[in-house]
Amino acid sequence: METLMDKRIVALLISLCLETVICYSNGKVEVACEDMTPEHGYDPSTKDPPIIITADKIQFSTGDEVKVTLSMGPTDGKQYFKGFLVEARNAGKMDEIVGSFELIDLDESQLLTCNNVEGSAVSHTSESHKTHMQVIWVAPPDSPSAVQFLVTVAQGFRDFWVKIPGPVVSQSGVVQPPQTTIGGSTISKTTASSTMSRSITSDGCGIRKSCLRYPKACEPQIDAACHFLSFMSEGNSVVFELSGPAEGYVSFALSLDKWMGNDDVYLFRRDVLPPPADPHRFSLNQSFYIFMAHGRADDGRTHRHDRQPLISTFQTDINGPSVEVTGSRSPLVIKFHGAFMLIAWMSTVSAGVIMARHFKPDWPDSNILGQKVWFQLHRMLMTFTLLLTSVGFVLPFVYRNGWSKRAGIHPYMGCAVMALTVIQPIMALFRPAPDAARRYIFNWLHFGTGTVAQIMAVVTILLGIHQQALLLPAPWSTAVLAFTVTWFVSADLILELHRRGFLPIGQYFKNVKIYTEHINSDDKEEIVFVPDQSETRYMDSHFKNVVLAIYLCGNLVCVLFLLWTITSV
């Protein structure tokens, strides 16, 4: 009897479990309407959501239909989702559900009744694998000024994401006043989102609206890496559009200078003239530098941008004619800093080192201003390096008005390189005579200090191209820089092997057999050609000149490519 009762209890529990599972698999999740959290007994995933949420409008009027699309984004995990729940919330009061939905796919989606409002949410009908889903939201007569779509998706019983923030749509003609002020910048409270509306497009840029975009001329509807801002006058207000990839937020600001702080930040629409009650807001009837930045956000808190903001090259009249606004993520002073250091340590230093190590015997009887040719060329290149390094070293301090606390170890290594660069010529001024006993010590100290400086400079440049203020595109810039270093090492190694006799190019003619034909005879006479020492030296010098020319051409191509990359940042 007890066994029979146990079996009945187990069967009852199983049936209850099955009922719960079936309930969730068929999408009847009205119990989750309020917090949008499935009753799975597990915590939501902390990984990036696998879906992209878009809306076909950014503004609406009463009765308008807004198409909301859920689609799979790039992910290393499952390429589908099983369950979903879509709601529209008041952007200023996120616990308030707004409006109702209509279905597009009747087989895979169904309407739910949340807060006694029929059709106020949409969910799945089965646990089939889905990669794309669309629903239509209908704006009610009593819509708030802004509405945000929230989505919960599930790929399995343990893999689910709750309240993924989707696009924010604003009611036409309604201005949302900014609500929070941080550090002199006024910021909207609208929830940040990594998704963007597909209705944002570059159509009309420079004609109907002004646009700032990065990379240059990118298309926000096609290029997933495109950061895009547009603005245009509409009556007594200015309408802004902003989109771009980010793990937390994208933002823009208007500034009277090129420094962050005491700026004015907006989203969507703002009157040209600020209200009299808010004297800290800017009037849009003037020109500004435009900032566009993105960064991380978690738990409702935004973090400092991970990369230098995109800043317009010139001030732009916000309420003026439509233009294509150009901008850069790197200040011009920092670009010159990078260019000077790159030329100095990737080009002139290497050429000077090769000249000193391998070309001393090539002009034994030739002088320039009383000094050997190789020495004058070496000194000229090293002086040019010292000049470029000194100017490049000062530029970041001029730009920052002091020391940068966000550049990591890069400025410390830069100071060390600068110190070694100054020590080298001072050491050379006190070099002993060529036949002095201490000349051997000087040669090794001079060689060792220069080599250490060169190695540290390469490491410093590698760190520099990944700084916020001069972030070159990876991995190409790093690969080209590494190739430039390898190119120098290869040329130096070939010349060193040749100097030590492992590549005796000039000696190849010593045993060459030349045959000449006697006139009116079939006999051949063997002649051994043995060149003299001067001809051997000539061939050696010619070989070294060819190696040097090839090296300089390859080095020039690499350096020009990196300089072009710097100008395009």
Side-chain angles (χ1 to χ4, degrees), residues 81-94:
F81 59 94
K82 293 182 178 180
F84 66 91
L85 176 63
V86 183
E87 295 181 8
R89 300 285 183 100
N90 184 342
K93 189 178 179 182
M94 294 300 290

Side-chain angles (χ1 to χ4, degrees), residues 354 357-362 489-509 533-548:
I354 287 178
R357 289 181 186 172
H358 307 291
F359 284 82
K360 287 184 181 181
D362 283 36
V489 173
S490 300
D492 187 52
L493 181 61
I494 290 173
L495 291 172
E496 183 65 23
L497 291 174
H498 174 71
R499 185 175 70 87
R500 294 180 179 273
F502 294 102
L503 293 174
I505 302 299
Q507 306 298 320
Y508 288 160
F509 288 94
Q533 193 65 28
S534 62
E535 189 166 359
T536 301
R537 187 165 56 247
Y538 168 78
M539 293 304 300
D540 287 344
S541 179
H542 184 69
F543 171 75
K544 289 192 292 184
N545 290 338
V546 170
V547 173
L548 178 62

Side-chain angles (χ1 to χ4, degrees), residues 60 87-99 137 140 142-150 167-169 171 176 179 189-191:
F60 67 89
E87 295 181 8
R89 300 285 183 100
N90 184 342
K93 189 178 179 182
M94 294 300 290
D95 59 350
E96 179 183 328
I97 300 177
V98 179
W137 178 75
D142 56 347
S143 295
S145 59
V147 173
Q148 181 165 28
F149 297 102
L150 299 180
V168 177
V169 293
Q171 190 171 172
Q176 292 193 77
Q179 300 172 343
K189 270 191 175 180
T190 305
T191 305

Side-chain angles (χ1 to χ4, degrees), residues 329-345:
R329 289 192 179 275
S330 179
L332 185 61
V333 172
I334 300 300
K335 287 185 177 182
F336 274 111
H337 164 74
F340 287 166
M341 292 302 187
L342 186 69
I343 294 173
W345 291 98

Side-chain angles (χ1 to χ4, degrees), residues 445-464:
L445 283 176
H446 194 63
F447 168 77
T449 305
T451 301
V452 171
Q454 196 172 6
I455 293 173
M456 291 187 66
V458 170
V459 175
T460 305
I461 292 175
L462 281 169
L463 293 174

Side-chain angles (χ1 to χ4, degrees), residues 20-55:
T20 303
V21 172
I22 293 173
C23 176
Y24 289 132
S25 65
N26 64 19
K28 298 295 184 179
V29 292
E30 279 91 348
V31 66
C33 281
E34 185 173 349
D35 60 6
M36 301 185 70
T37 302
E39 300 293 333
H40 287 186
Y42 296 95
D43 293 329
S45 175
T46 57
K47 299 178 182 178
D48 292 336
I51 66 165
I52 296 174
I53 311 165
T54 60

Side-chain angles (χ1 to χ4, degrees), residues 293-466:
H294 65 279
R296 296 176 295 108
D298 55 66
D299 297 328
R301 299 181 59 186
T302 57
H303 298 273
R304 188 180 187 275
H305 46 81
D306 298 320
R307 189 178 179 186
Q308 185 86 358
L310 178 65
I311 304 175
S312 60
T313 307
F314 306 103
Q315 288 186 333
T316 302
D317 187 352
I318 302 300
N319 200 32
S322 298
V323 294
E324 280 277 10
V325 184
T326 60
S328 172
R329 289 192 179 275
S330 179
L332 185 61
V333 172
I334 300 300
K335 287 185 177 182
F336 274 111
H337 164 74
F340 287 166
M341 292 302 187
L342 186 69
I343 294 173
W345 291 98
M346 292 290 106
S347 189
T348 59
V349 157
S350 58
V353 168
I354 287 178
M355 195 65 61
R357 289 181 186 172
H358 307 291
F359 284 82
K360 287 184 181 181
D362 283 36
W363 303 284
D365 302 321
S366 301
N367 292 335
I368 298 178
L369 300 177
Q371 296 287 345
K372 297 294 185 182
V373 174
W374 73 267
F375 178 75
Q376 291 289 44
L377 291 175
H378 171 75
R379 184 162 61 179
M380 178 188 68
L381 290 169
M382 292 308 179
T383 301
F384 191 54
T385 298
L386 177 61
L387 178 63
L388 287 176
T389 304
S390 301
V391 175
F393 178 77
V394 171
L395 290 179
F397 292 94
V398 173
Y399 172 72
R400 296 294 307 178
N401 292 323
W403 187 266
S404 175
K405 298 180 180 180
R406 298 182 180 275
I409 196 175
H410 175 74
Y412 295 97
M413 295 196 66
C415 289
V417 171
M418 186 70 234
L420 293 173
T421 306
V422 173
I423 289 173
Q424 279 290 78
I426 295 176
M427 188 187 304
L429 290 175
F430 297 96
R431 67 187 183 278
D435 56 349
R438 292 180 292 117
R439 182 67 178 222
Y440 179 79
I441 299 175
F442 164 78
N443 288 342
W444 276 105
L445 283 176
H446 194 63
F447 168 77
T449 305
T451 301
V452 171
Q454 196 172 6
I455 293 173
M456 291 187 66
V458 170
V459 175
T460 305
I461 292 175
L462 281 169
L463 293 174
I465 64 175
H466 297 293

Side-chain angles (χ1 to χ4, degrees), residues 65 212 450 514 541 549:
E65 296 183 348
L212 173 64
I514 301 178
S541 179

